[in-house]
Amino acid sequence: MNQKEISELRRRFRADKSAISRIYGCYVNCNREIVSYLDESLGRMPQEEAEKYLGLLKKTLSGTLGKNLIDIVFSTRQVMDSDEHRLLMALRDSELKDGEIRENFYQKVIDSLDMEGSNYLILLAHDAYDVPHRGGDGEVQADASEQVFSYVVCCVCPVKDGKAELSYFPGENEFHNTLPRQLVAPPELGFLFPAFDDRAANIYNALSYSRKADELHQEFLDAVFHTEPPMSAGEQREAFQAALTQALEEACSLEVVQAVHEQLTDRIEQHKGDPEPLAVTAREVGNILQSCGVEEEKVAAFCESCGQQFGEGAALSPANLIDCRRFEVKAGDVTVSLSPEQSYLVETRIIDGKKYLLIPAGEGVEVNGMPVT
């Protein structure tokens, strides 16, 4: 899925636009026991309550592609004959109306999910989207529909204890301490199945959501999808950095890293506004290294290391490989942080046998906010 397709679905999560008629789910305590079930008509809820539920489900389509939102790809064998895919298809095809199928799904999640001892709420909803036709000029023709996109969306929300607070009791004209309430927090994880690719259902894919890009809850992904767990954004960055330092050795200089950071940041900036995910290959990064004078042998070693870590010819997200918002240099106890476009200001030099980081002072030097000369 690309950003445009995700945005198109996100716009549906409003009481007046979605075809979601019921909200299903269960409340699970810290002992992995189901405390209560949820089976409520969205139309009979107060509007504010319905919007709260839809807002929680909508959160599973938020964040950055490749970081918070991960494509899950099923093998042909799984689609043809596997328990995990059969269960997901049964949830969708039954429109979540089959209680036994829902119960099987709940137990699969509960048995696998590690929420570090906290209570949580599993929410499920089914939507049928009458996909409007998009003309050759890209404009949506609301009165012309090509197909119906039937899908399920799931989210898992931590339930936290609120604090006891003083509240006003009108009948007594007094303030009293109220009991702590159980508060539903934003989703920690979730998914959409099937994927909405090319504005149509793709049962070979799902879209997984994680609030924290570095914590994908791989135990949940393995139980629900049983596919090779993807690397988190943090794991991808660590693997990329390890490939650079190990392959380049002494050639991994500040200037080389500056060049890689600068060129990948430029690509990210130029790609803004494009709904398709941005990707680079190890070979493309290798070309940047070659332009910096790195030996071909070391470039080949870098590409080979990336192949082992990510897979041969893997498409990598630049935003997962670098931090495009800052350029940070550490030397002992000293840390220098700059915006990426100013990374060229940092230089290395050896003076009287000692290594130094040099930064032009320019005008307006301050110490703790106080101007100094």
Side-chain angles (χ1 to χ4, degrees):
M1 292 178 65
N2 61 36
Q3 192 58 58
K4 186 178 289 186
E5 291 160 343
I6 291 171
S7 298
E8 185 172 349
L9 289 185
R10 276 177 57 83
R11 287 192 289 270
R12 289 191 53 73
F13 285 83
R14 287 170 40 188
D16 60 338
K17 288 211 168 185
S18 78
I20 296 174
S21 59
R22 301 190 76 81
I23 298 290
Y24 301 94
C26 65
Y27 177 35
V28 184
N29 66 18
C30 58
N31 297 318
R32 298 190 173 189
E33 300 166 336
I34 296 178
V35 177
S36 63
Y37 289 94
L38 179 68
D39 181 355
E40 298 285 342
S41 168
L42 204 67
R44 294 182 180 178
M45 290 182 189
Q47 184 175 349
E48 288 186 3
E49 191 173 314
E51 288 176 352
K52 290 285 187 184
Y53 278 116
L54 291 174
L56 291 172
L57 293 167
K58 182 179 179 179
K59 272 284 187 182
T60 60
L61 297 177
S62 62
T64 305
L65 277 168
K67 285 190 173 182
N68 310 94
L69 297 170
I70 305 293
D71 272 322
I72 302 295
V73 181
F74 294 101
S75 67
T76 302
R77 181 197 62 77
Q78 284 181 292
V79 174
M80 296 299 293
D81 183 23
S82 71
D83 291 339
E84 60 275 5
H85 198 273
R86 226 180 339 261
L87 177 57
L88 292 171
M89 289 296 292
L91 287 170
R92 186 194 73 156
D93 294 344
S94 68
E95 299 181 358
L96 300 176
K97 295 175 181 177
D98 190 313
E100 183 177 348
I101 295 174
R102 295 198 308 272
E103 184 68 29
N104 289 340
F105 175 77
Y106 296 150
Q107 288 302 325
K108 184 182 284 284
V109 173
I110 293 167
D111 291 343
S112 64
L113 185 58
D114 180 10
M115 292 292 281
E116 299 180 350
S118 69
N119 303 342
Y120 59 90
L121 176 67
I122 302 174
L123 288 179
L124 279 171
H126 171 269
D127 186 23
Y129 177 28
D130 201 6
V131 184
H133 176 72
R134 193 181 295 276
D137 56 359
E139 292 296 320
V140 172
Q141 301 172 8
D143 58 342
S145 175
E146 293 182 325
Q147 59 187 314
V148 175
F149 173 54
S150 173
Y151 66 97
V152 292
V153 61
C154 168
C155 67
V156 178
C157 305
V159 177
K160 302 179 180 180
D161 291 329
K163 295 180 180 179
E165 297 176 343
L166 286 174
S167 296
Y168 180 66
F169 287 71
E172 303 174 20
N173 292 329
E174 295 176 350
F175 287 87
H176 296 289
N177 208 25
T178 57
L179 294 174
R181 294 177 297 169
Q182 297 280 293
L183 303 177
V184 179
E188 192 70 22
L189 65 151
F191 69 87
L192 170 97
F193 176 84
F196 187 53
D197 287 331
D198 295 325
R199 307 183 73 237
N202 177 7
I203 63 172
Y204 284 80
N205 285 63
L207 187 69
S208 169
Y209 165 79
S210 177
R211 185 176 68 85
K212 299 177 183 176
D214 293 340
E215 296 180 22
L216 301 183
H217 285 280
Q218 293 185 347
E219 78 284 357
F220 171 83
L221 299 180
D222 183 59
V224 175
F225 305 114
H226 201 56
T227 59
E228 186 69 27
M231 295 175 73
S232 69
E235 290 170 333
Q236 290 180 47
R237 185 173 300 175
E238 288 177 7
F240 178 72
Q241 291 174 347
L244 275 175
T245 56
Q246 293 170 10
L248 271 59
E249 298 176 327
E250 71 283 352
C252 191
S253 65
L254 174 64
E255 291 74 17
V256 168
V257 174
Q258 280 175 320
V260 172
H261 195 280
E262 180 182 336
Q263 294 202 35
L264 292 183
T265 299
D266 284 346
R267 293 196 183 197
I268 293 170
E269 284 297 316
Q270 293 170 11
H271 190 265
K272 282 184 176 178
D274 190 330
E276 294 296 332
L278 175 63
V280 296
T281 64
R283 184 65 256 178
E284 288 177 286
V285 178
N287 292 337
I288 299 174
L289 299 177
Q290 277 187 306
S291 68
C292 297
V294 177
E295 299 173 3
E296 177 59 39
E297 182 181 342
K298 294 186 183 297
V299 172
F302 164 76
C303 292
E304 182 180 353
S305 180
C306 285
Q308 294 171 353
Q309 295 278 1
F310 303 106
E312 290 297 329
L316 310 175
S317 170
N320 290 352
L321 306 181
I322 63 166
D323 186 344
C324 63
R325 293 168 297 181
R326 65 174 180 167
F327 186 83
E328 185 176 274
V329 182
K330 286 187 178 181
D333 294 331
V334 178
T335 300
V336 179
S337 293
L338 306 96
S339 59
E341 59 268 20
Q342 293 179 316
S343 65
Y344 69 91
L345 294 174
V346 183
E347 299 178 25
T348 56
R349 193 170 300 175
I350 297 177
I351 303 174
D352 296 333
K354 292 184 179 180
K355 299 176 183 177
Y356 287 89
L357 290 175
L358 300 183
I359 305 172
E363 299 294 330
V365 178
E366 295 182 357
V367 176
N368 294 334
M370 181 175 63
V372 297
T373 57

